[in-house]
Amino acid sequence: MTRPSPSQAEILPLSAFVLPPLAVEPLRTIMRNINAVWLYHQPPHIQAMPANEYHAGVTSAQYAIPISPSADGLPYFAELALTPLVTVTRTYEYSATGAIGALSVWTSLGSYTGSTGASGIVQDSLSAIPANSRGLRVTLSSASAFFPQSIVVYPRPTSIPAGVQPSGFIAYDDGILEGAAGAPLHQEFLDRCRRSPLAVWHDRLQCGLSLVCEINDRTNHPAKSAAATGVGVWRLGSARIRLPGYGGPTSFTVRAIAEHSSTGPVSDVITVRLSGVDAASVTLDATAQTESGTIKVTPASTGIEAYVDAEIEIRNGGSGTTYLHGLCIWPEA
């Protein structure tokens, strides 16, 4: 009995579904595709371009990004676009709270040092990120000035697991269907063809919109409220989230890491508004750790043209300055 690890999903012709025989095929191919979905469905959980204006480059940078990782505790993979032909150290860590500052606790996912090569693209394997993690910290350093350009992080499972996974996924094991001739076909096989891919689809969220800023540069921070008495508002103009294939009311998970110049948390200073056919918003606090909320709206348009527009507002809570270090929005799958 083994759990097959196909090199790719196999697309069957329509003719395979016309009065199929009560036999191993085409069910075997369909069920092997369940395992292919587990291995190769790798949507970008984080896709971000640092918003800082690095006019002369930097020798160090650190980003704290809110996350909502897989319930299955998967390993992840990072790809960064940096200045070509520069030696850069890349350190990755996760946190259960996303808390930043002197008392924060982060756990290593891996650290790498090497040249960015002619392309400037580096690719790093990360350890498994626990399901309850709420923050990813990326720290970059170099002896030479470089320009951080983009960060992409996506799940990259390496093997087919046994048993029922926390997401609800159940792999295909060939012990019965591909065993003795005349092996039984039953309803659970057919149900698994639908339920397992859907479990993976719902579990591995794809980033729809992000805003990521260097957490240690307060002077040139690009996403901060005005430091003035009163409401001191900063606004990001409308950004469009494309949602091909979406229709009807859709939930969006919103997570943010923000802090205030005061010594404690400040309530209701980050507002995210989504609009499509209808509109809704969520307001989050600046607590120097990950804060979460949910918005439900119906995308405008239909089919591959479906979308919602997003607006972000940062207020200072009456005095001081609010710094929005990281924000991500994930549509439900």
Side-chain angles (χ1 to χ4, degrees):
M1 295 174 64
T2 61
R3 294 181 297 279
S5 297
S7 59
Q8 62 183 15
E10 181 179 347
I11 307 302
L12 290 166
L14 291 177
S15 59
F17 300 96
V18 179
L19 297 177
L22 190 63
V24 167
E25 290 292 358
L27 184 58
R28 174 172 53 188
T29 297
I30 298 170
M31 296 202 72
R32 286 183 174 225
N33 282 344
I34 294 173
N35 293 0
V37 168
W38 172 270
L39 289 172
Y40 306 121
H41 182 58
Q42 302 174 356
H45 187 65
I46 296 171
Q47 46 186 355
M49 300 176 66
N52 301 72
E53 295 185 15
Y54 296 119
H55 296 290
V58 293
T59 55
S60 64
Q62 189 173 72
Y63 309 99
I65 308 170
I67 58 175
S68 185
S70 167
D72 296 326
L74 300 175
Y76 279 71
F77 201 76
E79 296 194 30
L80 278 62
L82 307 168
T83 302
L85 302 175
V86 176
T87 297
V88 178
T89 297
R90 295 96 58 193
T91 300
Y92 306 91
E93 301 162 289
Y94 74 85
S95 165
T97 64
I100 58 178
L103 299 179
S104 61
V105 178
W106 295 80
T107 302
S108 176
L109 290 167
S111 184
Y112 302 86
T113 300
S115 173
T116 58
S119 68
I121 306 296
V122 294
Q123 300 175 319
D124 299 322
S125 295
L126 309 185
S127 303
I129 299 179
N132 65 347
S133 302
R134 292 297 174 263
L136 176 71
R137 188 163 70 180
V138 181
T139 304
L140 308 174
S141 63
S142 175
S144 305
F146 65 95
F147 293 89
Q149 298 173 42
S150 66
I151 301 169
V152 176
V153 179
Y154 53 90
R156 197 173 192 182
T158 57
S159 61
I160 307 295
V164 182
Q165 300 306 298
S167 65
F169 175 86
I170 306 175
Y172 165 56
D173 191 303
D174 64 10
I176 297 179
L177 185 61
E178 300 184 36
L185 306 179
H186 57 82
Q187 185 64 42
E188 196 281 328
F189 280 162
L190 302 178
D191 290 344
R192 195 181 304 191
C193 293
R194 175 178 60 88
R195 290 175 178 171
S196 282
L198 285 176
V200 171
W201 178 259
H202 290 306
D203 175 62
R204 302 179 191 178
L205 299 181
Q206 178 171 342
C207 180
L209 182 144
S210 66
L211 177 64
V212 174
C213 306
E214 159 68 50
I215 68 174
N216 295 318
D217 185 358
R218 302 294 190 275
T219 302
N220 300 307
H221 200 289
K224 62 183 179 181
S225 66
T229 300
V231 293
V233 175
W234 177 95
R235 290 187 178 90
L236 172 70
S238 182
R240 181 155 292 181
I241 303 174
R242 292 288 183 180
L243 299 164
Y246 278 72
T250 301
S251 291
F252 296 79
T253 298
V254 181
R255 289 190 168 153
I257 299 175
E259 66 176 327
H260 195 269
S261 57
S262 66
T263 56
V266 179
S267 300
D268 301 333
V269 290
I270 307 296
T271 298
V272 176
R273 177 182 173 85
L274 300 180
S275 57
V277 173
D278 49 1
S281 63
V282 65
T283 301
L284 305 176
D285 304 337
T287 61
Q289 66 181 17
T290 300
E291 297 292 329
S292 303
T294 302
I295 303 174
K296 178 173 282 190
V297 296
T298 299
S301 195
T302 58
I304 63 172
E305 297 181 350
Y307 68 89
V308 297
D309 288 330
E311 300 175 40
I312 303 170
E313 182 178 280
I314 308 170
R315 295 181 297 281
N316 67 0
S319 63
T321 304
T322 302
Y323 302 92
L324 178 56
H325 299 310
L327 181 144
C328 288
I329 302 175
W330 298 275
E332 67 175 359

